[in-house]
Amino acid sequence: EIQLQESGPGLVKPSQSLSLTCSVTGYTITSGYDWSWLRKFPGNKMEWMGFITYSGSTNYNPSLKSRISITRDTSKNQFFLQLNSVTTEDTATYYCARDEQPYWYFVFWGPGTMVTVSS
Amino acid sequence: DIVMTQSPSSLAVSAGETVTINCKSSQSLLYNGNQKNYLAWYQQKPGQSPKLLIYWTSTRQSGVPDRFIGSGSGTDFTLTISSVLAEDLAIYYCQQYYHTPTFGSGTKLEIK
């Protein structure tokens, strides 16, 4: 069974970069599908941030395009999120998920990791 | 971006009642090539990640009880939960995948 697990710092200072890892078990990320990052803000708003495809291409939410980077380490079956120049408005619970490529709905999710941006 | 407008933002019902949650998209989610509406529904229980309930507007994900019914077409969609149980306490989201994914603002379901 496929499982995803987010990891990374729970506290990031304003203007710094947020870096998270999604570790995938039960499926090889180069075999298929898109591998996404999403976040849920306080107040319940959900936002799709971007994905990396099984072949390594990326697609980002235009609202984040200048600040976001999604990469991967195929040897570890992991993919990563980097969000630059964070502000307090980036405080959220971050999820990694797999879609049903080519369709962008999400069946498999990690449990999420809370990230607070604060000095 | 396609904007998803969800209502109500919250509601409280007694167990056994029927609940209707509405979702409206700023443009049609119906793709003429396959006559499918690119709309999904999720349930997020407290402390858990979202769980896919329904995709293609009305197709239940494996294991989802038939109390959950999705309907609609074009720009107007509905999630109906019949005979609500205490375990249905959650936030429900609609999501379009016609273009770059966007979500509704969520509906918090409370059980009286």
Side-chain angles (χ1 to χ4, degrees):
Chain A
E1 178 188 347
I2 180 173
Q3 292 189 331
L4 299 90
Q5 178 70 55
E6 306 88 353
S7 59
L11 181 64
V12 180
K13 294 185 186 306
S15 80
Q16 294 189 343
S17 292
L18 179 162
S19 296
L20 297 176
T21 297
C22 183
S23 300
V24 180
T25 56
Y27 193 87
T28 302
I29 62 173
T30 57
S31 294
Y33 301 102
D34 306 320
W35 302 88
S36 281
W37 287 98
L38 303 98
R39 60 183 177 176
K40 178 179 174 179
F41 298 97
N44 298 327
K45 178 185 172 184
M46 287 284 297
E47 179 181 65
W48 171 80
M49 302 179 72
F51 63 62
I52 187 164
T53 71
Y54 67 94
S55 62
S57 301
T58 54
N59 187 1
Y60 300 134
N61 189 319
S63 68
L64 298 170
K65 207 161 190 176
S66 62
R67 298 199 291 137
I68 190 174
S69 177
I70 298 176
T71 57
R72 64 182 184 173
D73 183 334
T74 58
S75 68
K76 294 182 178 179
N77 214 37
Q78 295 175 328
F79 63 104
F80 311 102
L81 169 70
Q82 181 171 319
L83 186 65
N84 299 323
S85 304
V86 298
T87 71
T88 55
E89 295 188 353
D90 293 307
T91 293
T93 298
Y94 287 76
Y95 299 95
C96 56
R98 195 199 85 177
D99 68 17
E100 292 299 297
Q101 197 260 2
Y103 305 114
W104 296 338
Y105 59 89
F106 307 97
V107 179
F108 299 100
W109 296 69
T113 187
M114 176 70 184
V115 178
T116 300
V117 178
S118 175
S119 54
Chain B
D1 279 5
I2 298 177
V3 176
M4 305 300 290
T5 302
Q6 200 173 327
S7 64
S9 57
S10 66
L11 71 167
V13 300
S14 300
E17 292 186 7
T18 294
V19 163
T20 298
I21 299 170
N22 301 299
C23 181
K24 189 174 183 69
S25 57
S26 60
Q27 66 182 75
S28 177
L29 305 183
L30 177 63
Y31 178 55
N32 289 329
N34 58 14
Q35 288 299 298
K36 290 189 173 189
N37 288 278
Y38 285 49
L39 190 283
W41 289 95
Y42 299 84
Q43 175 193 62
Q44 187 172 29
K45 294 184 176 181
Q48 298 184 16
S49 54
K51 171 189 172 183
L52 178 69
L53 291 176
I54 288 170
Y55 56 100
W56 297 127
T57 299
S58 59
T59 302
R60 274 185 294 274
Q61 174 67 355
S62 176
V64 173
D66 58 9
R67 302 185 292 106
F68 294 88
I69 300 169
S71 62
S73 185
T75 62
D76 293 283
F77 303 89
T78 299
L79 174 67
T80 301
I81 311 172
S82 59
S83 302
V84 166
L85 302 176
E87 66 189 44
D88 297 333
L89 166 73
I91 299 172
Y92 293 85
Y93 294 93
C94 58
Q95 179 232 324
Q96 65 79 20
Y97 48 101
Y98 191 93
H99 284 312
T100 302
T102 51
F103 291 79
S105 54
T107 295
K108 187 173 184 179
L109 176 61
E110 297 177 327
I111 312 300
K112 292 177 187 175

